[in-house]
Amino acid sequence: MRQNEELRAAAVRFLCLCMEHSDVIILGTGAAGMTAALAAHDAGAQVTLLERGERIGGTSAVSGGVIWIADNLAMRAAGMADSREDALAYFYALDHGDLKAETLTAFIDNGPEALAFLDRQGAIKLSCLAGYPDYYLDRPGARPDGGRALDHDLFSFHELGNWASRIYAGDELKPMMLRETPLGGGTGVVPPEEMQRRIANDERGFGQAMVGRLLKACLDRGIEPLFDVATERLVIEDGRVAGIAGTHSGAPFALRARRGVIIATGGFEWDADLRQTFLRGPVDAPASPPTARGEGLSLAMRAGAKLGNMTSAWWAPTLAPTTSKWAGGEQRASPLLIERTVPHSLMVNRKGERFCNEAANYSALAGAFHQFDPQSYDYLNLPAWLVFDGQYRARYPIDTVMPGDPLPAWIKTGPTLSELAEKIDVPAGTLAATIARFNQLAEQGFDPDFARGTSPYDHFYGDRSRQGAFMTLGPLTEGPYFAVQVHMGMLGTNGGPQTDGAARILDHAGTPIPGLFGAGNAIASPTGGVYAGAGGTLGPAITFGFIAGRSAAQGG
Ligand SMILES: Cc1cc2nc3c(=O)[nH]c(=O)nc-3n(C[C@H](O)[C@H](O)[C@H](O)COP(=O)(O)OP(=O)(O)OC[C@H]3O[C@@H](n4cnc5c(N)ncnc54)[C@H](O)[C@@H]3O)c2cc1C
């Protein structure tokens, strides 16, 4: 009953809106879209925030929420030195031709101010993720001791009132901060009384805290997201984007924007056609929710946008338990981090051979999954398997399966290595030889084959009760043995329309399309394909949301 009333009120509000003009229309309620809304509003624009689905937050809401910004205020407050020069040197040391100076510099230069702005608006509350190193510590400008990666303080969903139920996957309680869990270098232990307090107060961490605070700040300013809005085309008048047209809850509408439209619709990984057309290789299990369907990309292409970074993504190997589904029944996957880093596990390809440093950062590691073999004319390392032994099973979780939990069917097992090899269809002799060699290296704590355990990054997700390379290296000697398939996945795509440093979407000639702006995974990332460190996607998304909001409010 109450929901019907709410829906009716929203429909009326929407119809009224269609009769009016808006200064800035923002498509998408993720971190990029809501930051853009706040920035445009702060710059004096009347803002309309539209969401395609029924929930707020998209990938941002299910994410860890970590934000990577060089030389940020929290670092300065903690007395940690950083500089734009170091940050730029770090990126250029990782460049494979995809970095564009203008957008990269805009990200580095505006990142600290974007966070300071959100902080002033009460839209963010961050603390340093102590000790979380940048991902490429051998490059100049990298920070081995952390500081650039920032974590959200808890946020109470009670502050959102009825809106709390509109956060994407918000029914999944996350009453901890990332830094308290092994994902952020913590123990995972919170005293029971404190946990009870948090649950009673509905306090959330991770991406839920980020999206919750952003939404609260929007609502406080009268920016109420409107749902179920499908934009079919941009209205272009005299070469300028002057609004949008599409359907709202199935009914046609048109909405004018006096100053601009911001595309912040997330990536395109859930659109099979776009994925097949653009990405550099096969992807079968993205970790993002099925909200990332490339609608913003299609709108921008139709408006004549120049595309960039299209073969790339925020890659990550994933686990895709057959029992794990999104609300709409789509396969759900989660990034594979700890399981491939702790001792007593390794990864093998279809030949039963190791093929990488299993503990490397997910973004770089995923490159190995797209290694193409000219001899067999196939992807050498797909399918891949994480193999582990009884010692692992007794000590560490695998996805949500804890030691002692019953074994689900998606985890294959065999009392011996050869029986396991048969179940996962890899040559038993090769698997046995691979594991014998790995065991030798693990015993000595030195992996000359793939250098696992040499970088401090490799230790971050390792077993902190051990020392040095042994935090990640341990032999597989105790049956039964286990295996799970490792999928080629991602956190989201990072290609799309190219922008300039003011987040204006460019046409084929490199000229801004008047009135059209973009931010987040919907655009060609300002950091190209470089995933600098934890938070490497949300840092640029929030910074370009901030830039896009301000630019659009000024009319481009
Ligand atoms: C499990 C997981 C953990 C992650 N952890 C981190 C992390 O800790 N740090 C980090 O930096 N990155 C992380 N990422 C990646 C990060 O979450 C994304 O890169 C980021 O959230 C993208 O933000 P966005 O605002 O561009 O898009 P989204 O957050 O996906 O928001 C886009 C929104 O637009 C809506 N939309 C789509 N089409 C339309 C349309 N036509 N009109 C209106 N609305 C539309 C969608 O429904 C969605 O709500 C993680 C990803 C995953 C999957």
Side-chain angles (χ1 to χ4, degrees):
M1 184 72 169
R2 180 190 192 133
Q3 208 175 9
N4 281 347
E5 276 166 28
E6 275 175 15
L7 286 175
R8 242 194 318 275
V12 169
R13 230 167 351 111
F14 190 78
L15 282 174
C16 294
L17 193 69
C18 290
M19 286 182 256
E20 294 170 3
H21 288 196
S22 203
D23 290 331
V24 177
I25 296 174
I26 295 149
L27 305 180
T29 60
M34 287 201 282
T35 302
L38 291 168
H41 179 272
D42 183 65
Q46 182 202 341
V47 169
T48 301
L49 180 59
L50 303 179
E51 168 55 50
R52 175 74 176 83
E54 298 285 351
R55 295 279 179 275
I56 292 159
T59 312
S60 304
V62 304
S63 76
V66 180
I67 297 174
W68 190 101
I69 297 285
D71 201 15
N72 63 67
L73 281 180
M75 286 180 88
R76 287 186 214 162
M80 300 173 88
D82 200 0
S83 68
R84 76 183 290 274
E85 289 70 29
D86 275 5
L88 287 170
Y90 178 49
F91 274 102
Y92 284 124
L94 295 164
D95 187 15
H96 286 289
D98 47 346
L99 290 177
K100 304 237 175 313
E102 184 179 345
T103 44
L104 176 64
T105 311
F107 163 54
I108 298 295
D109 287 346
N110 287 282
E113 175 50 21
L115 292 190
F117 163 76
L118 290 176
D119 189 57
R120 287 195 299 274
Q121 304 272 312
I124 213 158
K125 203 159 186 297
L126 296 165
S127 299
C128 281
L129 257 183
Y132 202 130
D134 282 341
Y135 287 175
Y136 302 94
L137 295 175
D138 58 338
R139 302 302 158 103
R143 285 284 172 277
D145 304 323
R148 291 168 170 169
L150 299 160
D151 181 34
H152 299 269
D153 293 358
L154 294 170
F155 171 75
S156 169
F157 270 24
H158 285 172
E159 291 193 39
L160 294 173
N162 287 342
W163 285 90
S165 62
R166 302 308 293 258
I167 305 256
Y168 196 91
D171 52 339
E172 295 168 12
L173 280 190
K174 289 188 178 159
M176 290 173 84
M177 293 175 282
L178 189 102
R179 57 187 181 273
E180 294 174 321
T181 71
L183 285 173
T187 58
V189 180
V190 172
E193 326 76 69
E194 168 62 7
M195 191 54 95
Q196 270 168 15
R197 188 197 65 74
R198 290 180 187 184
I199 290 171
N201 205 23
D202 202 1
E203 291 182 12
R204 316 289 186 104
F206 289 66
Q208 292 187 347
M210 171 175 67
V211 166
R213 274 201 185 88
L214 285 168
L215 175 61
K216 175 73 169 58
C218 285
L219 297 174
D220 286 348
R221 285 155 187 78
I223 307 167
E224 292 196 0
L226 289 161
F227 298 96
D228 199 11
V229 180
T231 301
E232 279 156 18
R233 65 188 174 87
L234 297 168
V235 176
I236 300 179
E237 290 172 0
D238 300 328
R240 181 179 180 85
V241 174
I244 57 171
T247 58
H248 174 240
S249 301
F253 79 92
L255 190 57
R256 295 182 68 78
R258 274 184 292 251
R259 303 193 203 170
V261 173
I262 301 175
I263 295 178
T265 49
F268 61 83
E269 62 271 20
W270 279 88
D271 183 283
D273 197 20
L274 291 170
R275 207 162 73 185
Q276 167 72 25
T277 303
F278 290 117
L279 293 179
R280 72 175 184 204
V283 172
D284 64 342
S288 54
T291 52
R293 296 188 174 276
E295 291 180 15
L297 171 61
S298 302
L299 291 172
M301 285 195 288
R302 286 173 65 187
K306 179 180 186 178
L307 304 182
N309 227 26
M310 294 307 292
T311 57
S312 165
W314 306 121
W315 305 110
T318 54
L319 286 181
T322 45
T323 45
S324 187
K325 303 284 180 205
W326 293 105
E330 301 89 348
Q331 175 64 53
R332 187 168 182 169
S334 50
L336 178 70
L337 293 171
I338 290 173
E339 294 89 337
R340 59 181 167 80
T341 307
V342 290
H344 312 297
S345 76
L346 54 70
M347 287 201 297
V348 296
N349 61 16
R350 60 194 157 95
K351 291 182 165 178
E353 293 166 347
R354 272 184 89 203
F355 59 94
C356 60
N357 167 9
E358 294 89 347
N361 82 71
Y362 39 90
S363 177
L365 174 64
F369 286 74
H370 280 162
Q371 188 185 340
F372 197 76
D373 176 30
Q375 205 57 35
S376 57
Y377 197 68
D378 209 345
Y379 290 95
L380 192 58
N381 301 322
L382 290 173
W385 297 91
L386 180 81
V387 179
F388 50 102
D389 75 347
Q391 300 173 84
Y392 178 112
R393 176 86 175 105
R395 290 186 175 89
Y396 310 117
I398 177 93
D399 200 53
T400 55
V401 182
M402 305 306 280
D405 283 354
L407 203 66
W410 55 269
I411 302 181
K412 311 287 176 202
T413 186
T416 63
L417 276 176
S418 60
E419 281 162 279
L420 182 70
E422 196 174 319
K423 288 198 176 149
I424 61 174
D425 196 23
V426 303
T430 316
L431 183 66
T434 298
I435 287 179
R437 165 83 183 155
F438 179 79
N439 287 352
Q440 232 177 21
L441 307 180
E443 297 284 7
Q444 70 194 33
F446 175 55
D447 171 21
D449 294 355
F450 294 100
R452 174 167 167 181
T454 51
S455 163
Y457 176 85
D458 298 357
H459 306 162
F460 193 78
Y461 289 124
D463 182 337
R464 289 171 179 236
S465 68
R466 300 159 64 116
Q467 295 296 316
F470 293 108
M471 292 165 89
T472 180
L473 290 173
L476 286 72
T477 44
E478 288 180 20
Y481 295 92
F482 305 88
V484 286
Q485 189 174 345
V486 182
H487 293 264
M488 184 59 196
M490 61 167 75
L491 305 181
T493 54
N494 56 25
Q498 289 191 28
T499 68
D500 64 6
R504 297 180 300 181
I505 289 180
L506 304 176
D507 69 11
H508 290 286
T511 309
I513 300 173
L516 191 58
F517 306 82
N521 284 358
I523 61 166
S525 168
T527 65
V530 178
Y531 207 126
T537 89
L538 282 165
I542 279 180
T543 305
F544 263 62
F546 170 66
I547 297 173
R550 284 204 310 197
S551 294
Q554 288 156 11

